[in-house]
Amino acid sequence: MTAYLDHAATTPMRPEAVEAMLPFLRDRFGNPSGAHALARDARLAVDEARDIVADGLGCRPAEVIFTGSGTEADNLAIFGVQRRAGGTAVCSAIEHHAVLHPVEHLGGRTVAVDGRGLVDLDALATALNESVTIVSVMLANNEVGTIQSLAAIRGVVAERAPKAVLHTDAVQAMPWIDVAEAASQTELISVSAHKIGGPKGVGALVARAGVELEPLLLGGGQEHERRSGTHDVAGIAAFAEAVRLTVQERATTVERVAALRDRLVDGLLAAIPGTVESGDRRCKIAGNAHVCIAGVESEALLFLLERDGVLASAASSCASGAQDPSHVLAAMGIGRDLARGSLRLSLGPPTVEADVDLALAVIPSAVEHLRAHG
Ligand code: PLP
């Protein structure tokens, strides 16, 4: 048996989303930018998908820009605004690299978080001034799961940087939080299909009416000149189906998965001395279980867990697979020694009791083995 506990890295596709793709990989292959019947059919599919995604994100259909990933949505938000408006970009210190690196590239500023991973509102106020044109704070963190209060952040931004637009990376929040409500006071929202049971390589940026964006991709002028490139019609149709089901099932999934997560983390804390839960469970998404285990190295632990059927990760997944010290844990004040033993177990809608049982059977003995044998 395998327990897949890496849903923050990616999710298995929902069967309905796979079904939604297939017609567009077969007969309905038209290019939605064209004029004939097949093209019009594809355009209709993209428009229908746009309506569903807009509904799930609480915006108007015209405000949805389909992109090739969550990363592209984040880059479009940061570079798109800054290249049009100039000024300074500001983000939290625990953003995904898809936000952090663009902000750093532009010479922007990062804002400290507390031990729970919550943005320090005083530090935010200090980082802001009239020259700031974009502020980016993720709705839920990909490593430790901390949920930010975007309403409180909006308040500080409105007071200290009135010209700034507020962007939120809601890629990890979407399975667990009503993004339409939680991000209602932001101008820009990024999401990604493969974190909610959709395909990889599809995402969206919500850019509310009036937000000026310089496109990253120039060409055929698709997406109202904001993102050129022929639409991935199959991927977009599947993305919409994943959004529809995620929103429909969210409340029951959150309740069920939060109980599984609590059993998992409480079980690990009880069974493994020297284990510390990262952050504060009261302000985390339901699918996140993150602990730091003293006296073990994540990489060695993950190797043993995989051997015994538990697939997890240490920090966020990055292209190289290399485990750099996590900037998120460092920003939360977790020391390097403890951070070396970080373990992220991320649950998803398909997670069941048996996955938790296996993890609780396997992880304590793997830790014991590593502590005994180095
Ligand atoms: N933002 C967050 C918070 C993420 O967790 C990820 C993926 O791990 C991304 C952005 C990037 O999304 P994508 O994989 O679609 O490029």
Side-chain angles (χ1 to χ4, degrees):
M1 181 194 165
T2 300
Y4 180 74
L5 293 171
D6 204 13
H7 287 87
T10 196
T11 54
M13 273 190 72
R14 293 170 177 270
E16 300 89 338
V18 174
E19 286 302 318
M21 289 186 96
L22 294 178
F24 303 100
L25 300 174
R26 293 182 177 138
D27 309 335
R28 299 175 66 185
F29 60 86
N31 182 333
S33 302
H36 52 63
L38 261 181
R40 289 196 305 273
D41 175 58
R43 188 154 61 245
L44 189 66
V46 172
D47 286 345
E48 283 172 5
R50 194 185 303 284
D51 288 347
I52 294 169
V53 172
D55 207 40
L57 295 173
C59 66
R60 287 188 241 154
E63 295 171 334
V64 174
I65 305 170
F66 286 117
T67 64
S69 61
T71 299
E72 188 193 328
D74 284 342
N75 274 255
L76 178 56
I78 306 294
F79 286 123
V81 167
Q82 203 276 345
R83 285 180 184 158
R84 191 58 69 92
T88 306
V90 170
C91 71
S92 89
I94 62 165
E95 294 301 306
H96 189 275
H97 287 130
V99 167
L100 201 53
H101 287 169
V103 168
E104 286 170 356
H105 185 86
L106 293 168
R109 288 195 278 277
T110 59
V111 176
V113 298
D114 67 15
R116 297 166 294 178
L118 288 173
V119 167
D120 177 335
L121 295 179
D122 292 332
L124 177 64
T126 307
L128 299 181
N129 58 37
E130 290 276 333
S131 78
V132 174
T133 45
I134 180 159
V135 177
S136 182
V137 176
M138 67 205 315
L139 182 49
N141 180 262
N142 47 302
E143 289 187 35
V144 295
T146 305
I147 303 166
Q148 306 290 340
S149 165
L150 294 177
I153 287 160
R154 171 87 266 173
V156 177
V157 172
E159 200 183 308
R160 306 286 298 211
K163 285 201 286 247
V165 293
L166 180 58
H167 166 248
T168 194
D169 176 335
V171 167
Q172 294 289 343
M174 192 62 189
W176 313 107
I177 299 174
D178 181 354
V179 174
E181 149 100 52
S184 62
Q185 298 187 43
T186 65
E187 282 85 11
L188 296 155
I189 308 170
S190 300
V191 287
S192 174
H194 76 101
K195 310 289 186 176
I196 58 167
K200 292 165 187 63
V202 186
L205 178 69
V206 171
R208 301 213 196 265
V211 175
E212 299 265 338
L213 282 179
E214 187 76 17
L216 301 182
L217 300 181
L218 303 176
Q222 288 89 345
E223 297 297 271
H224 292 281
E225 307 284 342
R226 295 167 301 182
R227 200 276 186 185
S228 287
T230 301
H231 294 92
D232 173 1
V233 183
I236 287 169
F239 179 22
E241 183 62 0
V243 167
R244 193 182 68 74
L245 292 168
T246 297
V247 170
Q248 183 182 301
E249 297 166 2
R250 192 153 46 200
T252 45
T253 302
V254 165
E255 202 182 318
R256 194 181 65 78
V257 174
L260 290 174
R261 185 273 312 274
D262 290 348
R263 185 161 81 81
L264 176 59
V265 179
D266 290 339
L268 294 176
L269 293 173
I272 311 172
T275 301
V276 182
E277 183 173 8
S278 323
D280 181 338
R281 216 181 296 173
R282 288 167 300 183
C283 49
K284 275 172 180 259
I285 49 173
N288 179 279
H290 193 291
V291 291
C292 290
I293 306 174
V296 299
E297 296 275 348
S298 305
E299 270 177 76
L301 178 59
L302 291 172
F303 179 80
L304 291 186
L305 299 191
E306 179 172 352
R307 186 197 63 185
D308 293 337
V310 174
L311 302 181
S313 76
S316 59
S317 343
C318 57
S320 63
Q323 300 300 342
D324 290 334
S326 153
H327 67 286
V328 175
L329 300 183
M332 290 166 66
I334 297 174
R336 275 181 87 96
D337 280 349
L338 195 55
R340 260 203 279 274
S342 70
L343 178 63
R344 181 185 72 179
L345 302 157
S346 46
L347 296 72
T351 306
V352 291
E353 297 282 353
D355 298 313
V356 173
D357 292 341
L358 185 65
L360 286 176
V362 161
I363 299 172
S365 49
V367 170
E368 207 172 303
H369 177 88
L370 289 174
R371 283 179 175 164
H373 300 98

